[in-house]
Amino acid sequence: MLNNRDEQAFQRSWSERDRELYELLRRGRRSQGVGALLVYLEDSERQVLDELRAARTAQPVPPPEQR
């Protein structure tokens, strides 16, 4: 679905958020971690659905930072 450059940008955006979640949990900030995880999962679902819709209509989806 994604070319190599798109894949790198895709993974970079999620890697940064993974580190944020890790730091919140490591510091014992569970409530904030739960909130951040819920947003993370909603964003992830939205992005996957956008990619699937775009693939179905053969229209490129802009990278997350351009949405």
Side-chain angles (χ1 to χ4, degrees):
M1 263 187 346
L2 300 172
N3 65 38
N4 191 39
R5 186 178 311 153
D6 292 341
E7 179 69 22
Q8 289 174 357
F10 173 84
Q11 293 299 333
R12 186 173 31 258
S13 70
W14 293 108
S15 295
E16 292 168 7
R17 294 174 80 177
D18 291 343
R19 280 190 292 278
E20 175 190 348
L21 285 167
Y22 167 77
E23 284 300 321
L24 288 170
L25 296 174
R26 187 180 70 80
R27 294 178 181 164
R29 298 167 73 179
R30 288 185 62 169
S31 294
Q32 288 177 307
V34 168
L37 181 59
L38 290 172
V39 171
Y40 178 102
L41 293 173
E42 289 170 359
D43 290 348
S44 177
E45 179 183 39
R46 186 180 324 52
Q47 187 169 4
V48 167
L49 292 174
D50 286 350
E51 293 288 343
L52 290 172
R53 286 184 195 105
R56 185 175 51 203
T57 61
Q59 295 177 2
V61 174
E65 63 273 3
Q66 294 179 3
R67 291 185 201 165

